[in-house]
């Protein structure tokens, strides 16, 4: 009895998740990715505010913000640009099609940075620690690590604030190349 009630629900879930990316009409895909981008901007601002005023730091809220970005980056982000690249409602540049690998790599970088920030929030459950802050004179971006810190161990060894700036650079780099002004 229970099973027969559950089955249709399960079927529905399967259909819904199949639609998550490929089944979306271009118009829905554009709306979805723009909504996701806005949510990521809000999340990034939440984190920026906490670095600006460390007393306002909340591990749970910081983690939530990082998770918001992690869940909307990587394959999810890349998948939402599978179509709708030449649409007046979208500011996505058609170059995304020709430079798919580069675009996807930026989406993955974003996911890696957001994941590292999520981990930092878990590790720093109390107040914001000095270990999360950038050290004075620390090279930002460039430096020996560059903007592509692919290695998780390397990522966890640099302060969260630095990772945060690398993450913002990823937003900026992608927009400069793939978003219309
Ligand atoms: C891999 C590329 C890429 C990355 C990384 C990326 N974006 Fe975007 N973003 C785009 C593109 C392309 C658009 C235009 C989308 C459209 O109009 O269809 C966009 C649009 C936006 C918009 C405008 C949404 C709207 O229509 O109102 C905001 C805000 C935004 N991004 C914020 C961010 C933030 C914050 C980050 C980093 C945390 C980020 N993006 C990371 C590619 C990217």
């Amino acid at each position: 009895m229970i099973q027969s009630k559950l089955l249709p629900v399960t079927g529905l879930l399967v259909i819904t998740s199949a639609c998550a990316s490929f089944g979306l009409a271009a118009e829905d895909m554009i709306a979805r990715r723009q909504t996701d981008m806005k949510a990521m901007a809000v999340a990034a601002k939440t984190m920026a505010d906490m670095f600006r005023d460390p007393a306002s730091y909340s591990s749970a809220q910081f983690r939530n913000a990082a998770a918001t970005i992690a869940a909307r980056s990587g394959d999810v982000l890349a998948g939402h640009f599978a179509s709708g690249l030449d649409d007046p409602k979208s500011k996505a540049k058609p170059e995304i099609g020709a430079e798919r690998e580069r675009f996807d790599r930026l989406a993955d970088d974003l996911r890696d940075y957001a994941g590292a920030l999520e981990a930092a929030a878990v590790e720093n459950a109390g107040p914001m620690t000095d270990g999360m802050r950038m050290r004075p004179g620390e090279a930002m971006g460039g430096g020996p690590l560059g903007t592509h810190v692919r290695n998780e161990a390397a990522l966890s060894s640099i302060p969260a604030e630095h990772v945060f700036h690398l993450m913002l650079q990823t937003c900026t780099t992608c927009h400069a190349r793939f978003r219309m002004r």
Side-chain angles (χ1 to χ4, degrees), residues 103-173:
F103 186 84
D104 291 359
R105 204 176 323 120
L106 287 165
D108 283 349
D109 284 351
L110 189 63
R111 180 205 55 211
D112 292 349
Y113 292 137
L117 290 170
E118 223 181 315
V122 173
E123 266 167 43
N124 296 272
M128 184 180 281
T129 60
D130 284 347
M132 288 181 77
R133 308 303 307 277
M134 298 234 317
R135 293 178 258 285
E138 187 172 340
M140 218 174 44
L145 293 165
T147 44
H148 289 276
V149 187
R150 306 294 301 165
N151 178 309
E152 253 174 62
L155 262 189
S156 65
S157 73
I158 63 176
E161 191 177 6
H162 191 159
V163 176
F164 178 69
H165 284 289
L166 293 173
M167 186 181 81
L168 291 187
Q169 279 179 22
T170 310
C171 314
T172 312
T173 303

Side-chain angles (χ1 to χ4, degrees), residues 2-3 8 14 19 21 32 64-65 71 78 141 176:
I2 290 173
Q3 253 199 340
V14 172
C19 288
S21 186
R32 179 82 60 94
N64 241 330

Side-chain angles (χ1 to χ4, degrees), residues 11-69:
L12 195 71
L13 282 177
V14 172
I15 293 163
T16 316
S17 60
C19 288
S21 186
F22 292 103
L24 281 182
E27 197 165 312
D28 297 337
M29 201 177 271
I30 293 168
R32 179 82 60 94
R33 72 197 181 208
Q34 289 175 342
T35 304
D36 275 6
M37 289 286 172
K38 276 181 220 151
M40 292 203 296
V42 172
K45 185 173 183 305
T46 299
M47 286 187 273
D49 287 347
M50 289 188 205
F51 283 121
R52 204 170 298 126
D53 176 17
S56 72
Y57 172 75
S58 145
S59 166
Q61 280 168 29
F62 190 96
R63 184 186 179 179
N64 241 330
T68 294
I69 296 174

